[in-house]
Amino acid sequence: MSAVAAERRTYLVLGFATTHQALDAERVLLECGVTAKLIPAPIELGGALCGIALRVPAEKSEEAENCLSRASLPAEATVRMEDY
Amino acid sequence: MSRPEGPHSNMTYLDHAATSWPKPAPVVDSVARALVELGGNPGRGAHALALSTSRAVFEARRTCSELLGVADSRSLLFQPSCTVACNVMLKGTLRRGDRVVVGSMEHNAVVRPLARLKAEGLKVEIVRADSAGLIDPADVERVVRSGPTRALICQHASNVTGTIQPLGDLADIAHENGAILLVDGAQAAGHLSVDIDSIRPDGYAASGHKGMLGPPGIGLLYLSPELEVAELIQGGTGGGSSASSEMPSHRPDRYEAGSGNTPGMTGLGAAAGLLAEKGDSFREHSSDLMRQLHEGVLDIAGFRVLGPPPEEPRVPLLSIVHKTIEPDRIAFLLDRDYSVAARAGLHCAAWAHESVGSLAGGAVRLSVGWTTQAKDVDRALCALREIVS
């Protein structure tokens, strides 16, 4: 159990105001070569209880945020989280 | 293209201004795919099926935006119809005491919301069209300048005369006088190469199932990013704002409360993709048919054509009035004896018929589309000749 926990990856989770923006961000990140996964928005993002969020591997955080910033699609909120 | 098998496969369908038929195969396939494969509720949930459906709606909105020249697809909203879009555009923008200037060729999708708003204190000034259904920008400018004007409201093209209104001039007049331009583009989108970025409206409503060739039950509304418009419907939006009792301010969610019409949206997206590829050839084809139809009708004694002369541009519809035979009789005989579908009456546009002198009996409207062939026009012209002979 502890071995599994030690292997858990850390991600940056990005929350957006609308599904449209989250999907647009997924598209933009793909064009930047950053693989992102759409997930149910975690409660840690605050308020976004039934929305969707994007998560990217922690090591890709800076690249992802720069990519979204260039596309004028910054996340409304972010949180670093381990895999569930 | 051959028509689909069915009880009406031999019909000469000249009612494309009411709705396009048959629908292009990519549209039918997209609607079917939405029903069979995209069963999730877009924007609701993050499981694989919901996400696939959300992505399909997202792409449909982007495709429609690219076709219509909308730079930011968040400003293009899916609506249940062009009529609903007109209601949102007008009722979400105008307030008691506002003064608006509107052309006299409007459809009831604009006339009736304005009537409701007028009863609540809106001041409505009407600019009368000329005998061809054209709104003269000089007339508009004179009325706009005669008092503080919140909005100039004008259709893009008439569903009665086919007249194409000078929206570029009207946008200049509105914006130079501190007003917004709100446009009903029901008969224009698809039939004309609509470029929102060039037209510069503040609001533009479009039908999805007429010239856009999409399925029924879907329309579009463009709202400029700067325009504050109150939403008419409140409810669930599926986004990240469920904790609030207030509607979110973000687009498109603010104007798309409730579960959406996924087959309609993706079907319209497929239609927009087709039009991006083949729209120019469809329009050239329709233009040729309209010339044939218009000149053919003028060769039959007793008919008067409403709207511009043959050499001037129009959207692909032709309304005609016979000097002795009522329009409803002509449409009935076309259908019963010749299997030609046409629409008689006032076309939900009494203002327009009044403007061009056909309010008393209406007209017979013939409208061509992407599947109409020259032989269909010939068949209709032969039928008209026999009916009035």
Side-chain angles (χ1 to χ4, degrees):
Chain A
M1 184 69 183
S2 60
V4 172
E7 290 172 6
R8 279 183 181 167
R9 293 185 68 179
T10 303
Y11 294 89
L12 179 71
V13 180
L14 306 103
F16 297 87
T18 64
T19 300
H20 181 93
Q21 285 172 281
L23 292 167
D24 209 10
E26 180 193 38
R27 178 188 64 83
V28 166
L29 288 175
L30 191 62
E31 288 176 0
C32 287
V34 177
T35 301
K37 182 171 176 56
L38 287 162
I39 63 170
I43 196 166
E44 287 84 350
L45 280 175
L49 296 177
C50 72
I52 59 176
L54 274 172
R55 77 174 195 185
V56 298
E59 63 272 21
K60 292 282 188 180
S61 298
E62 189 175 348
E63 187 180 347
E65 290 189 292
N66 288 339
C67 173
L68 293 175
S69 180
R70 285 196 300 274
S72 300
L73 267 173
E76 296 277 323
T78 60
V79 62
R80 284 183 180 270
M81 299 178 69
E82 285 189 344
D83 199 1
Y84 301 135
Chain B
M1 176 199 161
S2 60
R3 297 207 174 87
E5 291 299 315
H8 305 295
S9 57
N10 292 322
M11 170 177 274
T12 300
Y13 186 72
L14 296 181
D15 200 16
H16 285 265
T19 193
S20 57
W21 182 81
K23 304 299 181 187
V27 175
V28 175
D29 292 345
S30 180
V31 169
R33 178 172 175 259
L35 292 170
V36 174
E37 297 178 19
L38 300 174
N41 195 336
R44 276 73 171 169
H47 57 77
L49 188 60
L51 290 178
S52 291
T53 311
S54 297
R55 288 191 186 99
V57 170
F58 174 78
E59 288 303 328
R61 192 188 310 274
R62 275 171 54 84
T63 307
C64 291
S65 297
E66 287 171 12
L67 180 77
L68 298 176
V70 175
D72 184 344
S73 60
R74 286 174 294 183
S75 296
L76 192 65
L77 314 168
F78 285 117
Q79 298 288 294
S81 67
C82 187
T83 292
V84 173
C86 286
N87 271 264
V88 173
M89 181 170 73
L90 297 169
K91 293 176 179 171
T93 309
L94 304 174
R95 296 289 172 268
R96 180 197 306 267
D98 283 346
R99 176 179 184 267
V100 301
V101 176
V102 59
S104 70
M105 294 299 289
E106 296 303 311
H107 184 277
N108 282 344
V110 165
V111 172
R112 288 177 172 170
L114 282 183
R116 171 63 62 87
L117 289 166
K118 185 178 179 182
E120 296 168 356
L122 186 75
K123 298 168 189 164
V124 180
E125 306 276 1
I126 302 170
V127 175
R128 193 178 174 88
D130 69 14
S131 60
L134 188 69
I135 303 295
D136 185 341
D139 293 340
V140 171
E141 186 163 29
R142 191 162 45 251
V143 178
V144 166
R145 286 189 169 179
S146 67
T149 303
R150 169 65 176 140
L152 171 56
I153 302 159
C154 190
Q155 62 186 200
H156 196 165
S158 169
N159 71 315
V160 172
T161 60
T163 311
I164 300 167
Q165 306 297 352
L167 289 190
D169 292 341
L170 299 183
D172 289 340
I173 293 167
H175 296 153
E176 286 168 8
N177 289 278
I180 56 174
L181 176 66
L182 304 178
V183 180
D184 173 4
Q187 291 292 341
H191 287 312
L192 300 176
S193 181
V194 174
D195 184 6
I196 296 290
D197 193 45
S198 300
I199 297 171
R200 296 165 292 123
D202 298 277
Y204 190 103
S207 170
H209 67 99
K210 297 178 190 282
M212 288 287 287
L213 305 179
I218 193 75
L220 291 166
L221 174 61
Y222 164 77
L223 296 176
S224 74
E226 298 78 21
L227 187 64
E228 166 58 25
V229 182
E231 78 282 353
L232 298 192
I233 303 294
Q234 292 80 37
T237 53
S241 60
S242 291
S244 173
S245 299
E246 303 297 321
M247 285 295 285
S249 60
H250 303 281
R251 297 177 182 184
D253 293 16
R254 181 178 179 183
Y255 306 98
E256 295 182 357
S259 298
N261 172 5
T262 302
M265 294 186 276
T266 60
L268 182 54
L274 179 70
L275 287 171
E277 182 187 344
K278 297 182 176 176
D280 286 343
S281 66
F282 289 169
R283 287 185 279 274
E284 187 177 344
H285 175 66
S286 292
S287 181
D288 290 344
L289 293 172
M290 284 305 299
R291 198 160 30 249
Q292 177 192 357
L293 179 63
H294 198 152
E295 292 171 356
V297 167
L298 292 176
D299 279 343
I300 305 174
F303 275 117
R304 174 169 71 97
V305 173
L306 306 182
E311 64 274 14
E312 291 188 13
R314 67 196 301 150
V315 291
L317 63 90
L318 197 78
S319 291
I320 59 178
V321 179
H322 192 262
K323 64 181 180 184
T324 57
I325 307 177
E326 298 298 331
D328 58 295
R329 273 71 157 179
I330 293 174
F332 174 78
L333 294 171
L334 281 171
D335 181 50
R336 188 193 66 182
D337 297 344
Y338 303 93
S339 291
V340 173
R343 183 179 171 193
L346 296 178
H347 311 97
C348 302
W351 277 22
H353 278 285
E354 200 274 337
S355 297
V356 298
S358 48
L359 181 60
V364 180
R365 186 181 68 189
L366 305 154
S367 48
V368 304
W370 72 293
T371 54
T372 310
Q373 299 175 25
K375 67 180 181 184
D376 297 321
V377 174
D378 280 338
R379 190 172 297 135
L381 289 169
C382 287
L384 288 171
R385 272 190 216 99
E386 289 187 17
I387 288 169
V388 304
S389 63

